[in-house]
Amino acid sequence: MRKPEAECCETVCIHDDVIDRVSRQMPPQERMKELADFYKVFADATRIRILCVLLESEMCVCDLAEVLEMTQSAISHQLRVLKQAKLVKNRRDGKTVYYSLADGHIQTIISQGMEHITE
């Protein structure tokens, strides 16, 4: 199967006004790297599965492991990555630690991503 080729201009024509306007609006390179790193966290199916479960309910590691049919160790490792990326938060209730999505933004990102791939 042939890969589709990108369309290119037939002539070189620089639109200085557009370039100037867009260049002024571009975030700094460091901010772009942070954004790329943020999206890299979503590139793992296990982490997406955890986020989808937490979209439905706050859960402890034991329950997450049971629902996802994984070891607690594997879940814990992925939760650490998600917590470092500020995608999940936790709270302690006695001896149990419960995890949930960090905020409404994460719910929106997951929901919009699902909507996009099902269009």
Side-chain angles (χ1 to χ4, degrees), residues 53-54 57-64 67 79 97-100:
V53 168
L54 295 178
S57 177
E58 172 185 75
M59 281 197 182
C60 69
V61 176
C62 304
D63 292 341
L64 281 164
V67 168
L79 284 169
V97 178
Y98 291 95
Y99 286 85
S100 60

Side-chain angles (χ1 to χ4, degrees), residues 41-77:
V41 175
F42 291 95
D44 181 272
T46 298
R47 290 191 289 262
I48 293 295
R49 291 175 67 211
I50 291 170
L51 292 171
C52 285
V53 168
L54 295 178
L55 189 63
E56 298 301 321
S57 177
E58 172 185 75
M59 281 197 182
C60 69
V61 176
C62 304
D63 292 341
L64 281 164
E66 189 69 25
V67 168
L68 298 175
E69 298 177 339
M70 296 175 64
T71 66
Q72 288 185 33
S73 176
I75 295 292
S76 188
H77 169 75

Side-chain angles (χ1 to χ4, degrees), residues 6-13:
E7 295 287 327
C8 295
C9 298
E10 293 181 19
T11 63
V12 175
C13 177

